[in-house]
Structure formats: C-alpha cells, structure tokens
Amino acid sequence: MIGRILPPAVRWSHSFGDRDDPLFPEELALVERAVEKRRAEFATVRACAREALAALGHPPAPLLPGPRGAPVWPDGVVGSMTHCAGYRAAVVAPSDEIALLGIDAEPHAALPEGVLDTIARPEEHTSMAALPTAEGIAWDRLLFSAKESVYKAWFPVTRSWLDFDEASIVIAPDGTFTVRVLIPGFAPTGERLTGFHGRWLVDRDIVVTCIAMTGIR
C-alpha cells in the first residue's frame, strides 16, 4: 500500500499483522518490560525495516532509537518507520538520492473530540473546510498523519523539535499536500529547510502519508 505513494528510489516493506521475527538482543532489551502488543509492533516494524534495507544491500543489524526516538539508520541511508492498528511499514533510501524521508499511518477515522484544535492552525481549519466531503475522507486524521510525516522528515535533518503549530499544511484532494515550515531549521550543510511536498493515500481503512524529497527547499 505505502509503495503506491513512494518514488522509485525508496525501498519499502509493510505488514497488515504482527510477525514473529526475532529481535537482536539490543532491541529486545528496549522492550523486555513492555506489554505484548508493544513488543509485537516493535518487532514487526523492525522486520519490515530489515527487509527494506536488504533491498539496498544492507545485512540484518539492530535498529536502535537515537535522539527523541528517531531510528538510527546505517550510514548513507535515510529511513522512516510507522505502525498503527492493523498496519506496520518501513521505508529506506540512499541518502544521495533522497534527502528527506518520513512516513506515517493512522486508522481512517475522525480524530477524537478536541484533538484537531490542538494540532491545527487557523488557516488549516479554513482550508480543510473547503475540501470535498462526498468521498468520506477523514481530513482531520489525514492532517494529523501529514504532520507526523513532516516531523519524521524534519528531525533527522535539523535535529530540532517541530511542534504541530510550527508547520502549516494544505491538503489537496488529488493525493498530495504541501507544507510551509514556520520556524528556522537548517540542514548540516547550512541550507534552510522551509517546506515539504507530500503524498497521501486512504486504503483498507488506513491513512498513509509520506514525504520523500530529493533535496532541501
């Protein structure tokens, strides 16, 4: 499913249920006290990530969290992982082909009451109100997912926090969205990161969003 909105340079793997692939000892130590549900999704999304990395020629290795929980990928690789009820996915790409990569998946259902007001800017409320309702898309959930993908693309490059109200997103009905970043953020090369282009898809009652860009803008 996620592959339908990714460019060819990105390798991916997904699962609609949990798997029993073993974890490396270093990974197992991170979830040894977690509940079974958490251990299962943790293991499955890493199995997906190892499959995606294998497509780039990387052997199996532990995938451990770094600062703020972002996965630490092999040198020369950018990647992102996501999991929600009924879906797990991972994507990776060579960093010399894809500079920014972030994905998110969410159940396709309206956000709980009050959540939209905590994540959406005034102009986002306005633009969502103009979106078509005939196809039954949960635009509020899609906005939330897009903001999650934005952060996952932003943090590995800038190493700085980005709050929900520090990015303004415009969703288009054609399966795309655009992002304007409202705070300064810089790549290690010194380039300022000002925005993103993303894509979205709703299928099998799952919302998926992705940002996969070849350069900083």
Side-chain angles (χ1 to χ4, degrees):
M1 184 165 69
I2 191 81
R4 290 158 57 188
I5 56 173
L6 294 169
V10 178
R11 302 295 185 265
W12 58 275
S13 176
H14 70 184
S15 178
F16 292 95
D18 285 323
R19 299 164 39 168
D20 59 0
D21 299 57
L23 291 168
F24 283 85
E26 303 97 313
E27 296 170 327
L28 190 59
L30 297 173
V31 290
E32 61 183 352
R33 296 185 180 180
V35 299
E36 178 58 30
K37 177 181 180 296
R38 169 61 180 151
R39 289 198 300 269
E41 64 190 18
F42 181 93
T44 301
V45 78
R46 277 161 176 74
C48 291
R50 280 189 265 276
E51 287 183 351
L53 285 166
L56 293 180
H58 290 271
L63 294 170
L64 304 176
R68 294 192 180 273
V72 177
W73 300 99
D75 289 344
V77 172
V78 293
S80 186
M81 296 189 283
T82 188
H83 55 77
C84 70
Y87 192 65
R88 290 85 170 88
V91 296
V92 296
S95 59
D96 60 355
E97 296 187 51
I98 299 292
L100 301 164
L101 187 57
I103 63 168
D104 185 68
E106 302 287 335
H108 184 223
L111 289 172
E113 185 176 355
V115 173
L116 181 62
D117 289 335
T118 69
I119 69 160
R121 296 176 54 83
E123 69 271 18
E124 291 170 328
H125 282 280
T126 300
S127 64
M128 282 197 302
L131 290 167
T133 59
E135 296 183 9
I137 302 295
W139 298 115
D140 58 345
R141 182 73 69 165
L142 180 49
L143 178 69
F144 179 87
S145 181
K147 294 212 170 195
E148 290 289 308
S149 285
V150 166
Y151 179 74
K152 291 179 182 181
W154 164 274
F155 181 78
V157 175
T158 66
R159 293 295 169 179
S160 63
W161 180 255
L162 184 70
D163 213 339
F164 284 116
D165 65 353
E166 293 174 333
S168 182
I169 296 178
V170 177
I171 298 168
D174 65 357
T176 65
F177 60 92
T178 57
V179 185
R180 182 168 53 95
V181 179
L182 305 176
I183 64 170
F186 297 90
T189 57
E191 295 172 282
R192 182 166 179 172
L193 183 57
T194 60
F196 302 88
H197 293 295
R199 298 184 66 191
W200 63 267
L201 175 71
V202 176
D203 193 14
R204 297 178 61 158
D205 287 328
I206 302 291
V207 174
V208 289
T209 57
C210 82
I211 290 167
M213 294 173 55
T214 57
I216 304 296
R217 63 177 292 270

